[in-house]
Amino acid sequence: MIRSFTAFFSTFCVLVAGAVLADESVRIVLAGDSTVTDNAGWGHGFRTLLTDKAECINLAKSGRSSRSFRAEGWWQECLDAKPDYLLIQFGHNDQPGKGPERESAAESDFRAHLAAFVREAREYGIKPVLVTSLTRRRWSLDGHIVPTLAEYAAATTAVAQEQMVPLIDLHRLSIQQCEALGPTAFAALEPTTKDGPDHTHLNPSGGLAVAELVATELIRVCPELGSCFDSSRMEAARTPPGYRRDLSHGALRIVEDDSVVTVTEDEKTVLVYHKKSPPVPDGIAMVYQRSGFLHPICSPGGHVVTAAFPADHPHQHGVFTAWVKTTWNRREIDFWNLAGGTGRVLHHRVLSTFTQNDQVGFEARLIHRAEQEPVADVLEEVWRITVSPADGTCRKFDLETKQSALTDVPLIIQKYHYGGVAMRGPVEWLNKNDADKTEGLEISTTGCEFLNDLGSDRRAGNHQKARWILMSGELHGMPVSIVVMSHPENFRFPQAARLHPSKPYFCFAPCVDDQFVIDREHPFSSRYRYLVLDTHPNREWIEDRWQEWLREVSGQLDAN
């Protein structure tokens, strides 16, 4: 009977609180250190998740501890703001080595400070919520977090239990989040400067990702606040994201595992995106490991029109993106030629899978990393791959890509004869002059041909400004082709295209014309359509497909 009454009373209190909240705006104040602030922590992200039923005042201050926050008068400002709820997170600056004006031992002064915060908040009619310290990202060699704030998290938990205060165990939740993503993926969520990554604080994306943890747990421990948060925005902020890893639409299907994202049609492979590097073949140096590319890409008949780790150029992998001659922070970085060791492009994480009309697709985030010390992530790149069902003549998919600066230092893409969005064909399409590169592979080379919309072949067409490029050859005695079309809104359209004189490789390279800059105000966006066929199409057929795409683009613009 007592237990039933307690459950009834708790439910009654939640319902009453919910009724009150429905009519009144809720004020939430944040107290803490830099990991809670708007510009280096989760405070701004938390605010963006709120509905108009709540307001958030962030009084967290960089460099403050549970001791100095009170001594400098910030705690009194929190009380004077008269919030309904007060979230309190400290620990980073209480640690030894921060100086006597800030330090507080976890088991003594720190606990006493938190207990006083709780008591005084309640005296002001405020509901306190304790939050354990956001973890620092100290990674072990096997990709786990080495905790540095565990004793302060334990002290906060002990005070919450003693004082019967709602607790958000952000220390535990943030460690789980870090390890679910891994060090490579989480790097895109932390600030990067010219001196390298910051493993304590958060960039805007990281702030939103951690804020979702805080908001979700706050709703769990204070369920009456559920209506104060926008569920759709919280779902979008979830990191790692919540999305379907096995998604079908008609004959098309997307399946994601730990290593790849595979798109199939009628159970036959259309394309594969690599989240991790495939095994490096014998005889190829480990420096050529790469993730974040498409291979294999298959024709309707099952012929593979791409290659990975080709012996002639092992840094070329299927469909990939990279710049060659760049400058960042007075450093020369080549993201393309991996053997130089200055830069590389790698997969960060899958963002979503989706269906639209009769198509399926996925979004993935990649990062462009400067590899020499200090290591720094320079760009983030988001790919959106949309696959259409085969139409009886070809397979079709679109690649949309957006590259954005991760630091305040611009990346200068220098004028150069290649670099951009590239396409590498199979080793069988090597020119016979390169046949020595296939020795021991039991592969006979047949060569391949190029054609652009101007009617030019690989020699005349090199560096011409082209709307589309056709690369075609034979595989197992059968004709196979791939067409890549450049979107009319692409930068410097029609773009110069690098057509290699002997290898099955080309790229759309706007850097051929002149240098340009990618910075926070000037992201780089582009879009391409890929058609894969078991024939050698003529120019007229490709032009019809081009006009078809233009009509699509026009219809999309009109719809917007």
Side-chain angles (χ1 to χ4, degrees), residues 213-268:
L213 298 179
V214 175
T216 297
E217 192 68 0
L218 180 60
I219 293 171
R220 188 186 71 81
V221 298
C222 298
E224 69 274 13
L225 292 178
S227 63
C228 295
F229 293 90
D230 186 298
S231 58
S232 61
R233 290 201 291 268
M234 288 180 62
E235 179 67 26
R238 186 172 301 160
T239 307
Y243 60 86
R244 293 181 60 182
R245 287 167 169 76
D246 189 336
L247 179 65
S248 297
H249 190 67
L252 293 169
R253 183 183 181 190
I254 296 178
V255 177
E256 179 188 354
D257 63 24
D258 290 342
S259 300
V260 297
V261 179
T262 302
V263 181
T264 60
E265 185 173 21
D266 291 324
E267 300 183 355
K268 297 179 181 179

Side-chain angles (χ1 to χ4, degrees), residues 537-556:
N538 56 37
R539 287 177 63 191
E540 290 73 21
W541 183 89
I542 301 174
E543 278 297 325
D544 287 344
R545 302 290 81 75
W546 169 259
Q547 295 299 326
E548 180 182 277
W549 196 25
L550 283 185
R551 290 191 292 272
E552 269 186 50
V553 172
S554 177
Q556 291 167 358

Side-chain angles (χ1 to χ4, degrees), residues 180-191:
L181 288 170
T184 297
F186 203 96
L189 303 181
E190 55 192 7

Side-chain angles (χ1 to χ4, degrees), residues 188-502:
L189 303 181
E190 55 192 7
T192 299
T193 69
K194 59 184 178 63
D195 298 317
D198 178 340
H199 295 307
T200 297
H201 300 102
L202 303 165
N203 65 20
S205 296
L208 182 59
V210 171
E212 189 275 331
L213 298 179
V214 175
T216 297
E217 192 68 0
L218 180 60
I219 293 171
R220 188 186 71 81
V221 298
C222 298
E224 69 274 13
L225 292 178
S227 63
C228 295
F229 293 90
D230 186 298
S231 58
S232 61
R233 290 201 291 268
M234 288 180 62
E235 179 67 26
R238 186 172 301 160
T239 307
Y243 60 86
R244 293 181 60 182
R245 287 167 169 76
D246 189 336
L247 179 65
S248 297
H249 190 67
L252 293 169
R253 183 183 181 190
I254 296 178
V255 177
E256 179 188 354
D257 63 24
D258 290 342
S259 300
V260 297
V261 179
T262 302
V263 181
T264 60
E265 185 173 21
D266 291 324
E267 300 183 355
K268 297 179 181 179
T269 299
V270 176
L271 57 83
V272 176
Y273 171 81
H274 290 267
K275 298 163 52 180
K276 297 180 180 179
S277 178
V280 178
D282 291 342
I284 302 294
M286 293 299 290
V287 71
Y288 291 110
Q289 290 185 103
R290 179 175 175 127
S291 60
F293 66 95
L294 298 178
H295 168 77
I297 296 171
C298 299
S299 73
H303 296 291
V304 177
V305 299
T306 52
F309 303 109
D312 56 289
H313 268 49
H315 53 263
Q316 296 179 352
H317 296 74
V319 171
F320 65 101
T321 61
W323 303 110
V324 184
K325 193 173 181 59
T326 76
T327 303
W328 177 82
N329 191 32
R330 294 180 291 183
R331 297 162 62 177
E332 299 293 322
I333 305 172
D334 183 347
F335 297 98
W336 181 294
N337 298 290
L338 300 177
T342 61
R344 70 171 54 245
V345 181
L346 61 161
H347 169 75
H348 166 213
R349 63 187 174 96
V350 175
L351 300 174
S352 70
T353 59
F354 61 86
T355 63
Q356 60 180 36
N357 302 322
D358 59 348
Q359 304 165 315
V360 300
F362 63 93
E363 291 182 308
R365 177 177 286 152
L366 302 83
I367 54 178
H368 296 233
R369 176 168 292 172
E371 294 225 283
Q372 295 179 336
E373 293 295 337
V375 175
D377 292 338
V378 177
L379 297 179
E380 72 167 3
E381 179 174 14
V382 175
W383 278 19
R384 181 179 176 90
I385 301 286
T386 306
V387 180
S388 301
D391 63 2
T393 59
C394 69
R395 284 201 168 128
K396 177 174 68 178
F397 68 91
D398 291 351
L399 165 62
E400 300 175 60
T401 173
K402 182 177 181 180
Q403 298 176 6
S404 305
L406 285 172
T407 77
D408 292 331
V409 180
L411 178 68
I412 301 171
I413 315 298
Q414 299 179 39
K415 184 175 181 178
Y416 201 63
H417 66 281
Y418 68 95
V421 178
M423 168 75 209
R424 167 66 202 221
V427 173
E428 291 90 335
W429 286 358
L430 278 170
N431 186 291
K432 292 183 179 181
N433 294 334
D434 291 315
D436 61 315
K437 299 293 186 181
T438 65
E439 187 175 341
L441 298 179
E442 298 182 0
I443 291 174
S444 59
T445 58
T446 60
C448 66
E449 300 295 332
F450 285 96
L451 179 71
N452 67 17
D453 59 283
L454 302 175
S456 300
D457 62 11
R458 68 194 314 157
R459 293 195 178 277
N462 184 45
H463 291 164
Q464 281 186 333
K465 293 180 178 296
R467 293 184 288 116
W468 54 259
I469 302 293
L470 163 68
M471 181 169 63
S472 59
E474 291 189 356
L475 294 172
H476 309 292
M478 303 295 292
V480 182
S481 305
I482 183 164
V483 180
V484 185
M485 298 177 171
S486 178
H487 194 281
E489 294 184 354
N490 284 352
F491 178 60
R492 291 179 177 166
F493 176 85
Q495 294 176 326
R498 160 64 170 168
L499 309 183
H500 197 277
S502 63

Side-chain angles (χ1 to χ4, degrees), residues 31 68 77 92 149 164 229 359 474 488 507 539:
S68 63
E77 285 204 23
H92 281 78
L149 289 150
M164 300 183 67
F229 293 90
Q359 304 165 315
E474 291 189 356
C507 65
R539 287 177 63 191

Side-chain angles (χ1 to χ4, degrees), residues 134-149 171-192 197-202 210 239-240 348-349 367 369 375 377:
L134 175 71
T135 186
R136 291 191 181 93
R137 274 86 61 191
R138 300 291 185 266
W139 296 96
S140 66
L141 293 178
D142 60 355
H144 292 286
I145 291 293
V146 179
T148 63
L149 289 150
H171 188 256
R172 174 181 59 84
L173 294 171
S174 58
I175 289 175
Q176 290 176 353
Q177 183 182 63
C178 287
E179 294 182 345
L181 288 170
T184 297
F186 203 96
L189 303 181
E190 55 192 7
T192 299
D198 178 340
H199 295 307
T200 297
H201 300 102
L202 303 165
V210 171
T239 307
H348 166 213
R349 63 187 174 96
I367 54 178
R369 176 168 292 172
V375 175
D377 292 338

